[in-house]
């Protein structure tokens, strides 16, 4: 299974379109919030099912703030992250994942890529596909590949 993981597009969808064309075929697209009204548009341009959560800028969205999905052998806790104080570290995310029986957390909000593994919970942020904040200021996303044994492999990619 091949999954495109994105976040923080903030209604600026040009890079989203470019990345979908570049990485297709994909089996699932996950958006981690701050779509700013682009939910329907994203579902229209996606060549596959879409999973989404609302971010702090998705004021009138009916999307859930958190969601749990199964990817291969793993349960994934999806959240934008702002309610878990992600600007101060990943421990609250890890605790939320543990409480929900998840061993992966996918989150957004900080606009910087993160791939932080520990013994029981792996934390992943694809960065921002539109408004990056890391040193190189390159828009980023992540590819999540689920192998035949159900194991998850993450690659952070840049546009």
């Amino acid at each position: 299974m091949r999954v495109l993981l994105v976040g923080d597009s903030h209604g600026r969808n040009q890079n989203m379109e470019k990345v979908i064309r570049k990485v297709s075929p994909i089996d699932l697209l996950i958006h981690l919030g701050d779509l700013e009204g682009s939910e329907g548009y994203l579902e229209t341009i996606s060549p596959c099912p879409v999973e989404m959560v609302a971010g702090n800028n998705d004021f009138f969205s009916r999307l859930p703030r958190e969601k749990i999905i199964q990817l291969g052998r793993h349960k994934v806790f999806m959240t934008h992250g702002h309610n878990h104080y992600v600007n101060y570290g990943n421990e609250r995310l890890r605790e939320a994942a543990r409480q929900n029986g998840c061993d992966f957390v996918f989150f957004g909000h900080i606009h910087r890529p993160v791939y932080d593994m520990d013994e029981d919970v792996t934390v992943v942020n694809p960065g921002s596909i539109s408004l990056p904040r890391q040193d190189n200021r390159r828009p980023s996303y992540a590819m999540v590949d689920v192998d035949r044994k159900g194991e998850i492999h993450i690659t952070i990619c840049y546009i």
Side-chain angles (χ1 to χ4, degrees):
M1 176 180 223
R2 189 165 159 83
V3 180
L4 172 59
L5 181 63
V6 298
D8 295 288
S9 56
H10 290 276
R12 300 175 184 194
N13 295 308
Q14 182 179 5
N15 285 344
M16 184 85 64
E17 294 170 12
K18 185 187 306 183
V19 167
I20 288 172
R21 282 192 304 272
K22 178 180 178 179
V23 303
S24 285
I26 53 176
D27 302 299
L28 180 65
L29 191 154
I30 297 174
H31 196 296
L32 298 168
D34 280 357
L35 293 103
E36 295 191 29
S38 295
E39 297 93 331
Y41 179 73
L42 182 58
E43 288 177 322
T44 300
I45 66 168
S46 177
C48 60
V50 180
E51 295 282 357
M52 297 178 267
V53 292
N56 60 302
N57 287 302
D58 296 324
F59 302 111
F60 303 107
S61 176
R62 292 187 174 162
L63 293 172
R65 298 283 175 195
E66 298 174 345
K67 189 179 239 185
I68 296 171
I69 63 170
Q70 188 78 33
L71 286 181
R73 298 173 7 130
H74 301 278
K75 282 179 69 176
V76 178
F77 181 72
M78 293 171 44
T79 184
H80 185 62
H82 59 292
N83 291 325
H84 296 277
Y85 305 100
V86 295
N87 288 319
Y88 301 104
N90 298 330
E91 196 47 47
R92 288 185 188 226
L93 285 174
R94 283 198 166 91
E95 186 55 35
R98 288 182 195 109
Q99 288 175 358
N100 286 285
C102 298
D103 52 348
F104 275 81
V105 177
F106 294 168
F107 79 104
H109 190 60
I110 62 171
H111 293 232
R112 293 184 311 274
V114 172
Y115 185 29
D116 183 10
M117 296 170 44
D118 80 358
E119 57 225 29
D120 64 340
V121 178
T122 298
V123 178
V124 180
N125 185 320
S128 173
I129 196 158
S130 299
L131 300 167
R133 292 184 183 153
Q134 73 274 16
D135 287 343
N136 65 15
R137 300 284 186 195
R138 289 177 58 198
S140 59
Y141 59 96
M143 292 306 301
V144 180
D145 291 300
V146 182
D147 68 23
R148 291 177 191 246
K149 294 180 181 177
E151 294 302 325
I152 292 176
H153 307 277
I154 307 285
T155 306
I156 303 291
C157 306
Y158 296 90
I159 297 176

